[in-house]
């Protein structure tokens, strides 16, 4: 049984893993049942409850996909750090003006030229239910030592930390 302390620690770990990763790949289900992925800027933020927010246009195709199939996946990678995170859950369109203003950052102007005055601006909230991450030693030296140790001992190389998290 997971306690609230464990749950908070799991979310804290996820937040730490993605804090320096600006872009996640959001995967939705298209009308024909195929998976459709696209890069989305998150500014590396996960809320304390485990939810992830993306700015979007309310009239975008991804919103249509989410309205038909709420199940989504968001994946993050930092290959230079040997860090990978996959989160699955449900998504919903949010048009709450105060939340939009709270999450707005000036760099979003690149995608929303009218800024907060954009009439079609909205948020896509991903309610993360499950996550999995892989976090391995990122330095060349640490990675090389692990490979040499595996070769000399005949044991499988350590791939670092791999955990599955259930947030629901």
């Amino acid at each position: 049984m997971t306690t609230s302390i464990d749950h908070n620690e799991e979310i804290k770990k996820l937040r730490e893993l993605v804090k320096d990763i600006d872009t996640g790949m959001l995967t939705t289900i298209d009308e024909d049942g195929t998976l459709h992925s696209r890069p989305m800027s998150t500014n590396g933020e996960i809320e304390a409850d485990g939810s992830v927010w993306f700015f979007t246009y309310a009239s975008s195709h991804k919103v249509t996909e989410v309205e038909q199939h709420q199940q989504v996946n968001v994946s993050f990678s930092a290959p230079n750090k040997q860090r990978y995170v996959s989160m699955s859950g449900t998504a919903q369109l949010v048009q709450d003006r105060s939340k939009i203003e709270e999450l707005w950052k000036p760099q979003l102007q690149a995608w929303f030229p009218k800024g907060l005055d954009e009439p079609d601006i909205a948020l896509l909230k991903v309610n993360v239910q499950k996550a999995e991450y892989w976090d391995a030693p990122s330095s060349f030296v640490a990675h090389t030592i692990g490979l040499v140790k595996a070769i000399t001992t005949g044991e499988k190389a350590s791939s670092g930390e791999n955990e599955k998290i259930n947030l629901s």
Side-chain angles (χ1 to χ4, degrees):
M1 183 173 148
T2 303
T3 66
S4 63
I5 293 172
D6 294 338
H7 185 75
N8 290 341
E9 287 300 313
E10 291 171 338
I11 292 172
K12 182 179 175 184
K13 177 67 175 184
L14 288 176
R15 293 175 83 181
E16 182 67 27
L17 288 167
V18 302
K19 75 176 183 177
D20 297 327
I21 305 173
D22 180 55
T23 304
M25 290 296 288
L26 173 67
T27 303
T28 55
I29 302 170
D30 212 339
E31 293 97 10
D32 63 1
T34 59
L35 299 176
H36 181 198
S37 299
R38 83 277 292 145
M40 299 286 290
S41 177
T42 63
N43 298 311
E45 293 183 16
I46 299 174
E47 294 219 335
D49 66 356
S51 57
V52 179
W53 294 86
F54 298 104
F55 276 83
T56 188
Y57 287 98
S59 60
S60 70
H61 185 69
K62 71 181 124 343
V63 171
T64 302
E65 291 172 336
V66 164
E67 288 172 344
Q68 293 176 0
H69 303 281
Q70 287 188 310
Q71 286 299 127
V72 298
N73 183 271
V74 182
S75 58
F76 298 90
S77 72
N80 60 325
K81 296 179 181 179
Q82 291 295 302
R83 184 176 298 158
Y84 307 91
V85 180
S86 176
M87 302 177 191
S88 60
T90 57
Q92 67 189 80
L93 182 68
V94 175
Q95 294 180 295
D96 178 337
R97 191 69 190 169
S98 62
K99 190 66 177 178
I100 291 170
E101 290 172 2
E102 174 192 332
L103 296 175
W104 178 259
K105 294 192 172 156
Q107 59 266 37
L108 291 165
Q109 197 96 21
W111 291 278
F112 303 93
K114 294 181 182 176
L116 291 170
D117 294 328
E118 170 59 52
D120 198 31
I121 197 169
L123 294 166
L124 204 55
K125 179 182 182 185
V126 176
N127 302 296
V128 177
Q129 296 163 338
K130 292 182 180 182
E132 184 170 6
Y133 67 86
W134 299 261
D135 190 18
S138 60
S139 76
F140 175 76
V141 173
H143 188 68
T144 303
I145 289 171
L147 288 176
V148 169
K149 182 179 175 187
I151 291 168
T152 57
T153 63
E155 295 177 11
K156 182 179 172 187
S158 171
S159 59
E161 190 177 1
N162 172 231
E163 295 290 332
K164 292 181 180 179
I165 299 172
N166 190 342
L167 299 178
S168 55

